[in-house]
Amino acid sequence: MSGAALGLEIVFVFFLALFLLHRYGDFKKQHRLVIIGTLLAWYLCFLIIFILPLDVSTTIYNRCKHAAANSSPPENSNTSGSFATATPAPSQHLCFKPWSYIPDGIMPVFWRVVYWTSQFLTWILLPFMQSYARSGGFSITGKIKTALIENAIYYGTYLLIFGAFLIYVAVNPHLHLEWNQLQTIGIAAANTWGLFLLVLLLGYGLVEIPRSYWNGAKKGYLLMKTYFKAAKLMTEKADAEENLEDIMEEVRKVNESIKYNHPLRKCVDTILKKCPTEYQEKMGRNMDDYEDFDEKHNTYPSEKSLVKLHKQVIYSVQRHRRTQVQWQILLDQAFYLEDVAKNEASVAHQFVHTFQSPEPENRLTQYFYNPTVEWYWECLLRPWFHRILAVILSIFSVIVVWSECTFFSTRPVLSLFAVFIQLAENTYNYIYIEIACFLSIFFLSICVYSTVFRIRVFNYYYLASHHQTDAYSLLFSGMLFCRLTPPLCLNFLGLTHMDSSISHQNTQPTAYTSIMGSMKVLSFIADGFYIYYPMLVVILCIATYFSLGTRCLNLLGFQQFMGDNDMTSDLVDEGKELIRREKRKRQRQEEGENRRREWKERYGQNREDSTRNRNVHTNPKESNFSDVNPNRSSKYTRGNNNRTERDRIELLQDPEPMDFNADTFTDDPLDPESGRYQPGGRYLSMSRSRIFDDV
C-alpha cells in the first residue's frame, strides 16, 4: 500500500485537472500546445496540494522511528530543549507504518521534479506561449519572432537583476555564496513574490466564499443579482457585436483591395478563415476580378497591418462567441430562479418548469429526482444547506485568520492548525493527520484558487466556463497557479509548525521543505517577511467584509452589485425587463413548435391515408395513360428503377407547366442542375444552354 496511495492520487489528480480544463477550455478549437501547457501547469499544482498530506504523515512516522531508535535511559529525559525533546520518547510499538507510507528517497526526487518543472513553466515557457498564442502572425516563424520581442523586456529585467546581484557578491569579500545558496535565494525570491499575491487573494476568499453561500440562501438575492448580470452582459454583448461589425468591415475592405494574384492574398485568406461563417459567405473570395494589381497606382495594406488585423479578428470573434454563450446560460439561470420563486408558494409541492430542458433526462434521474423531490430540495432544503455550509466555512475562515496571526508563537502553541496536528502526532493517528492536513490545505487552496477563477482584468484575463476561455487566459491562469502553490504549501507547513524555520525545532523536516533549502541565507525574509506579512490578511478580510473594493470600483465607474445603490437598482430593473422580453420570445417559439407538432400528429396520419387512397384510384389512369401514349410516358420516367411509385403518380397527376420543354427534361426532376421544384408539384426545367433562346 506504500506506493499505491501515491499512484492513485497521481491518476486522480490528472483526471481532475483534465475535467476542469475541459470545462473552461475548448479541446477542439484551441491549439494543442496551449492545452498541454495549461493542463501540465494545473496538474502539477493540484498534485502538490494532494500529495503534501502524505509527505506530512511520512515525516511524522520518520520522526517517531528516529526518536525510538535514539531513545536513551530516563536520566537523559530531563534535558532542557525544544518541544520535541520535552515529551517522552515514543516506544517502538507505537511507530507503526502508515497505510500511505512512501519509502525514503522517493519524495525528495518527486518534489524536486514537480517544483522545478512548475517554475520552468511559470517563468519561461508559459509567458512565451502567451505571446505566441496572442500573436497575429501568419507563420510559425513570425509568431516566434513576435513572442521573442514581447518577452525580451520581461526576460531582460530578470537577467539584469540577477547579473547585478552576482556582481555584488563577487565584489564583496565578506560574501561567499555557493551554488546551493544561490539556488535558495532564487527560490526565496519566487516564493516572496508568490506570498505577496497569495495573501491578497486569500484575504478576499476567506470572506467572500462564506458570504456567497449565505447570500445564496436569501430569497430573491440570487434573482436580483442575475438581473444585474443580465443588464451588464447585454451591454458587453452589444459592444462585442459592434466591435465585430467594425472589424469585419475592415476585413471586407482588405478583401476587396487585395486581388487573387497579390502576394499577400494568402494572408487575407487566413484572416477570412477566422471570420464567422455568415461573414465569409457575404464576403467570399475576391476571385471574380482578374485584374493584375498595380503597386504604383493603388495603395495596399502592409503585412504588418494584416498581422494586426488578424490579431483583432481572433480577439473579436472569441469575445463575440463568449458573450453569446454566456447570454444563453444566464437566461437559463434566470428562468430557473424565477421558477424557484414561483414554486415556493405551490400547495401541490410539485416543481413546475416554465421551459422544459432540451436534453432528455435519463430514467434514473427522473425516478430519484422527480418534481416532488426537486420542490423540497430547491424550496426548503437548499437554503438551509447553504446556511449551514456558510457557517462551517466561516468557522474555518476564523481559524485561518487566527492561525495566520499566531503561527510564529511556539511556546505556547497558539496556531490551531498546529494544535490539531500535534494532538494527532502524540497518538500517531495517521488517518486523522492526513484528513486534517488535507482539509486544511484544501480550504486554503479553494479560497485562493476560487479568487483566481472569479477575478477579471477587463477583457485580457477572464476564465469563462462552458469552453469559452481564450488561450491567453488559460495560460495566464497556469502561470498564477504555479506561482501561488509553492508559497501556499510553505504557509500551510508554517501554520502546522512542520517547517523547522518557523517552529525553531531540531527535527527532521518534510521532504518538501528540504528542497526549498534553508532560509537562514536570507534572514530578513525568513524572520521578517514570512512571519509578519501574513498578518495583513486581517486587514484584507475587514476590507472585503465591508466591500471596500467593490465600493471603490463603483466610484470609478465599474458598476458592481450593491443593494443600497441607485445605479444597482436601475440595472436590476433593466435586467428584469430584458429577461421578461427574452422569456416572451422563447414562449412564442415553444408555442409555434407545439402547434407544428400537434398539426403533424393530428393530420399526418390522415394525409398518409388520403395519399394511399389517391394511389389506388390513380392506378387505372396510369395504365391507360401508358397504353395510349407509350412514347411520351417513357420520357417522363427515369432510366433506372429507383423512382418510387408515389413520385410517378404525383408527376402524372399534375398538369404540365406552360413553359415545359420535353427535350430538356432530365432523369431527376430535383436535380439542381436541371431545374427547380415549385410548390404544388410543378417542375420548371430550364437548360443553362437554352435559357436565353428567346432574347
Side-chain angles (χ1 to χ4, degrees), residues 244-261:
L244 182 63
E245 290 288 343
D246 296 339
I247 297 299
M248 291 299 105
E249 181 64 22
E250 295 183 10
V251 174
R252 185 190 63 81
K253 294 179 180 179
V254 171
N255 183 44
E256 292 179 354
S257 62
I258 297 181
K259 306 302 180 181
Y260 77 100
N261 53 358

Side-chain angles (χ1 to χ4, degrees), residues 182-283:
L182 289 176
Q183 179 180 339
T184 303
I185 292 174
I187 294 174
N191 291 335
T192 302
W193 188 96
L195 184 63
F196 175 79
L197 185 60
L198 173 68
V199 174
L200 298 179
L201 300 179
L202 184 63
Y204 177 82
L206 288 174
V207 177
E208 191 61 29
I209 292 179
R211 182 165 59 185
S212 62
Y213 282 102
W214 182 264
N215 291 332
K218 296 180 180 179
K219 292 183 178 180
Y221 176 84
L222 290 179
L223 187 58
M224 294 297 105
K225 192 171 184 179
T226 304
Y227 289 152
F228 178 83
K229 290 180 179 178
K232 291 189 63 177
L233 185 58
M234 175 54 72
T235 304
E236 183 183 357
K237 180 170 170 287
D239 186 30
E241 292 176 354
E242 183 179 355
N243 185 28
L244 182 63
E245 290 288 343
D246 296 339
I247 297 299
M248 291 299 105
E249 181 64 22
E250 295 183 10
V251 174
R252 185 190 63 81
K253 294 179 180 179
V254 171
N255 183 44
E256 292 179 354
S257 62
I258 297 181
K259 306 302 180 181
Y260 77 100
N261 53 358
H262 195 279
L264 296 178
R265 183 63 204 184
K266 294 182 180 180
C267 301
V268 177
D269 293 339
T270 303
I271 296 176
L272 290 177
K273 291 179 182 179
K274 302 296 178 62
C275 299
T277 307
E278 56 271 18
Y279 290 98
Q280 293 183 22
E281 294 176 354
K282 290 180 181 178
M283 292 181 289

Side-chain angles (χ1 to χ4, degrees), residues 72 183 189 223 305 315 352 404 543 592 628:
S72 55
Q183 179 180 339
L223 187 58
S305 61
Y315 169 74
V352 180
E404 291 286 357
V628 172

Side-chain angles (χ1 to χ4, degrees), residues 75 83 235 528:
E75 59 268 19
F83 177 80
T235 304

Side-chain angles (χ1 to χ4, degrees), residues 154-188:
Y154 180 79
Y155 295 132
T157 303
Y158 291 110
L159 291 177
L160 182 62
I161 296 175
F162 184 72
F165 177 76
L166 289 180
I167 294 174
Y168 174 76
V169 172
V171 172
N172 195 341
H174 301 287
L175 294 178
H176 299 283
L177 296 180
E178 299 179 355
W179 170 250
N180 293 333
Q181 294 176 335
L182 289 176
Q183 179 180 339
T184 303
I185 292 174
I187 294 174

Side-chain angles (χ1 to χ4, degrees), residues 298-344:
N298 298 329
T299 57
Y300 297 97
S302 60
E303 185 177 359
K304 186 177 181 180
S305 61
L306 291 180
V307 169
K308 183 179 179 181
L309 181 61
H310 187 203
K311 184 177 179 180
Q312 292 175 348
V313 167
I314 296 174
Y315 169 74
S316 60
V317 171
Q318 172 67 27
R319 184 187 176 194
H320 179 263
R321 187 187 301 114
R322 185 187 69 222
T323 53
Q324 295 291 334
V325 174
Q326 287 180 333
W327 177 250
Q328 296 299 326
I329 296 172
L330 190 63
L331 288 179
D332 295 337
Q333 182 181 358
F335 296 154
Y336 187 77
L337 292 175
E338 289 180 347
D339 292 341
V340 172
K342 291 179 181 179
N343 285 277
E344 286 179 350

Side-chain angles (χ1 to χ4, degrees), residues 346-497:
S346 175
V347 182
H349 296 176
Q350 296 283 333
F351 198 92
V352 180
H353 293 269
T354 303
F355 304 104
Q356 297 297 329
S357 177
E359 299 179 358
E361 298 180 354
N362 52 28
R363 296 181 179 180
L364 188 63
T365 305
Q366 292 179 356
Y367 179 77
F368 288 101
Y369 197 67
N370 51 45
T372 303
V373 176
E374 187 177 3
W375 186 88
Y376 277 101
W377 167 251
E378 293 292 343
C379 301
L380 291 180
L381 299 179
R382 189 171 185 173
W384 284 104
F385 174 76
H386 280 188
R387 292 189 184 98
I388 294 173
L389 186 59
V391 172
I392 296 175
L393 293 176
S394 300
I395 294 174
F396 268 95
S397 297
V398 172
I399 293 175
V400 170
V401 173
W402 172 261
S403 300
E404 291 286 357
C405 297
T406 59
F407 74 94
F408 59 89
S409 176
T410 57
R411 299 178 67 91
V413 179
L414 299 179
S415 174
L416 296 180
F417 289 106
V419 171
F420 297 152
I421 298 300
Q422 289 180 4
L423 288 176
E425 184 178 0
N426 293 332
T427 59
Y428 298 97
N429 190 347
Y430 298 108
I431 299 295
Y432 174 79
I433 291 174
E434 293 176 3
I435 293 176
C437 290
F438 177 75
L439 292 179
S440 302
I441 194 172
F442 183 75
F443 179 72
L444 291 174
S445 61
I446 287 295
C447 293
V448 175
Y449 292 163
S450 63
T451 309
V452 175
F453 281 97
R454 289 186 181 187
I455 61 176
R456 178 176 181 177
V457 184
F458 300 103
N459 288 318
Y460 294 100
Y461 172 73
Y462 180 39
L463 291 177
S465 58
H466 298 85
H467 322 290
Q468 299 304 313
T469 306
D470 58 351
Y472 183 85
S473 299
L474 286 176
L475 294 172
F476 189 75
S477 66
M479 292 170 54
L480 286 179
F481 286 164
C482 291
R483 297 181 187 184
L484 291 172
T485 304
L488 174 65
C489 295
L490 283 179
N491 182 254
F492 165 74
L493 294 176
L495 295 177
T496 56
H497 288 182

Side-chain angles (χ1 to χ4, degrees), residues 477-655:
S477 66
M479 292 170 54
L480 286 179
F481 286 164
C482 291
R483 297 181 187 184
L484 291 172
T485 304
L488 174 65
C489 295
L490 283 179
N491 182 254
F492 165 74
L493 294 176
L495 295 177
T496 56
H497 288 182
M498 295 298 295
D499 189 356
S500 59
S501 62
I502 302 297
S503 62
H504 302 289
Q505 297 177 3
N506 189 15
T507 56
Q508 180 180 357
T510 60
Y512 185 82
T513 308
S514 62
I515 69 164
M516 295 294 175
S518 177
M519 294 300 169
K520 295 180 180 179
V521 179
L522 301 174
S523 58
F524 66 95
I525 294 180
D527 299 332
F529 185 79
Y530 283 177
I531 299 297
Y532 300 105
Y533 178 73
M535 297 181 185
L536 187 62
V537 73
V538 179
I539 301 176
L540 295 174
C541 288
I542 295 175
T544 305
Y545 179 80
F546 290 102
S547 303
L548 296 182
T550 302
R551 298 179 187 276
C552 292
L553 290 175
N554 200 27
L555 291 176
L556 295 175
F558 301 98
Q559 289 83 8
Q560 303 294 319
F561 183 75
M562 300 175 61
D564 54 350
N565 188 272
D566 295 335
M567 181 63 69
T568 301
S569 301
D570 295 339
L571 290 176
V572 168
D573 295 338
E574 181 183 351
K576 189 175 183 179
E577 182 62 28
L578 291 172
I579 297 298
R580 186 184 295 113
R581 188 185 309 166
E582 293 292 336
K583 189 174 185 179
R584 288 197 300 266
K585 185 188 300 184
R586 185 171 294 188
Q587 286 176 346
R588 288 194 298 267
Q589 292 177 356
E590 282 201 352
E591 290 174 358
E593 293 177 359
N594 293 333
R595 284 196 299 268
R596 286 192 295 269
R597 190 181 302 110
E598 292 176 358
W599 179 272
K600 184 178 180 180
E601 293 176 355
R602 181 179 301 178
Y603 298 103
Q605 186 67 28
N606 297 334
R607 185 176 181 182
E608 291 179 359
D609 295 340
S610 62
T611 305
R612 190 178 300 110
N613 295 332
R614 289 173 60 188
N615 294 344
V616 174
H617 290 295
T618 55
N619 282 335
K621 295 181 181 180
E622 180 186 358
S623 60
N624 296 333
F625 187 86
S626 300
D627 295 336
V628 172
N629 197 352
N631 296 329
R632 184 178 180 182
S633 176
S634 62
K635 285 189 176 182
Y636 287 100
T637 58
R638 296 169 61 102
N640 51 17
N641 295 326
N642 293 333
R643 178 187 295 275
T644 61
E645 189 69 17
R646 181 179 175 183
D647 293 337
R648 291 203 305 270
I649 293 170
E650 290 182 355
L651 179 61
L652 294 174
Q653 283 179 345
D654 293 332

